[in-house]
Amino acid sequence: METITTPSGIEIAFDRYVGGDAGTVILIGGAFSFRKFPKMVELAERLANEYRLTVINYDRRGRGDSSDSPGVYNVDNEIDDIAALVDAVGGSAALFGWSAGAGLALLAAASGRIPGITRVVAFEPPFVVDHENFVPPADLDVTLHALIAADRRSEVVRFYMTKGMGMPRAFAAIMRFTPMWKDLLATSSASAHDWAIMGPYMRGAALDAADWAGVTVPTLVMSGEKSGALLRTGARAIAAALPNARHRELAKLSHNPNIAIMAPAAGEFLTGTAEYADWAPSTTERA
């Protein structure tokens, strides 16, 4: 484990996987994710070993071995954390974001505050752009922040899963009997950071391309053919709103992805191999 301290005093913990000379990518997890989550570790290992990338797999603030800013939930702070990581690895890096982490990666690129971002991969950012499936309550943060402040972690997990992510109540109830329940509890308070990122874009309204005009670097938006309609619709919508993006829908992939399927699509794009050697935006592709 390595650490850096951001200008605001947050300690960010990360693991560095050195694969070769193909560049650096920073992995950004989503809700309830942390750097030791097995699929994040597998993704980091595959991108390093098979695509010669140096991979930075970090704990976002409030997770794992990173510190937090309790009661302060602002996406700009997390963009500052990413900026500090980019500086720490030499000033240049691509971003790979998963779920809410994909939303954060896109917002970081759109901000214009991190000129060293070279490319972005966004896997199923949970944009809610219509009322066809699920729309979280607009005041979700009021209840969420109160539960976090009271340290009612089990309730935080159930509330965010059902009201913030649209999971069926029965599924959320079953989670407490799984081995991952302790990890969900440990990262529960960080869900407020995820809502700060995604909340404004989960209102059931179309995305405004002007909000994303700053994402000028090549961007690959990925979704899984087996994922729900909400996530697939959101992926297509953000790809269409970005000025320099492609969307790929991968067969046999879901929001709980098979890394052996996901990693090649991401690795080929991040290293500019094969079809990505001569980059040009295009419409949805299926693979």
Side-chain angles (χ1 to χ4, degrees):
M1 185 182 78
E2 301 178 56
T3 63
I4 60 168
T5 301
T6 70
S8 64
I10 296 294
E11 187 171 89
I12 299 295
F14 64 95
D15 295 325
R16 188 192 310 250
Y17 299 76
V18 180
D21 59 357
T24 299
V25 58
I26 297 171
L27 305 186
I28 308 174
F32 304 110
S33 182
F34 58 106
R35 82 179 198 283
K36 293 298 186 182
F37 181 60
K39 293 204 173 187
M40 293 294 283
V41 172
E42 182 184 353
L43 177 61
E45 291 174 343
R46 284 184 177 271
L47 291 178
N49 295 336
E50 298 172 16
Y51 294 93
R52 299 179 298 104
L53 288 158
T54 293
V55 184
I56 304 299
N57 185 19
Y58 81 106
D59 282 323
R60 287 171 52 198
R61 59 172 61 197
R63 306 157 196 259
D65 295 301
S66 292
S67 60
D68 200 5
S69 50
V72 179
Y73 310 111
N74 186 319
V75 66
D76 287 337
N77 293 333
E78 289 218 74
I79 292 173
D80 289 342
D81 296 344
I82 294 171
L85 279 169
V86 172
D87 285 344
V89 299
S92 177
L95 305 180
F96 177 104
W98 183 339
S99 195
L104 176 56
L106 292 168
L107 287 167
S111 72
R113 290 158 44 200
I114 314 176
I117 295 174
T118 58
R119 292 190 173 214
V120 175
V121 179
F123 176 63
E124 294 192 340
F127 293 102
V128 179
V129 297
D130 57 36
H131 289 261
E132 297 298 318
N133 297 284
F134 161 77
V135 180
D139 62 349
L140 180 143
D141 60 314
V142 175
T143 300
L144 180 64
H145 293 180
L147 290 172
I148 291 170
D151 199 29
R152 293 157 64 178
R153 298 187 183 190
S154 293
E155 293 178 61
V156 170
V157 174
R158 289 193 294 268
F159 178 76
Y160 198 78
M161 282 186 167
T162 56
K163 298 298 185 180
M165 302 169 69
M167 290 185 182
R169 288 181 179 273
F171 182 85
I174 290 170
M175 294 300 293
R176 70 179 304 157
F177 301 105
T178 68
M180 68 183 300
W181 181 248
K182 62 178 176 49
D183 294 328
L184 295 173
L185 295 180
T187 58
S188 60
S189 63
S191 58
H193 293 300
D194 296 297
W195 183 249
I197 295 163
M198 294 306 309
Y201 308 102
M202 300 180 78
R203 299 286 189 255
L207 298 174
D208 185 347
D211 292 339
W212 308 99
V215 190
T216 56
V217 297
T219 300
L220 179 65
V221 181
M222 297 196 300
S223 58
E225 188 180 65
K226 295 173 65 177
S227 294
L230 183 147
L231 290 167
R232 290 184 285 111
T233 298
R236 288 193 294 269
I238 187 61
L242 294 168
N244 193 15
R246 291 187 189 182
H247 171 231
R248 290 192 71 184
E249 188 168 285
L250 300 177
K252 301 180 181 180
L253 201 69
S254 71
H255 198 62
N256 180 26
N258 181 331
I259 301 301
I261 296 174
M262 175 198 280
E268 290 170 8
F269 169 70
L270 290 167
T271 55
T273 59
E275 63 186 289
Y276 300 114
D278 297 315
W279 173 262
S282 69
T283 56
T284 293
E285 305 165 3
R286 289 180 171 81

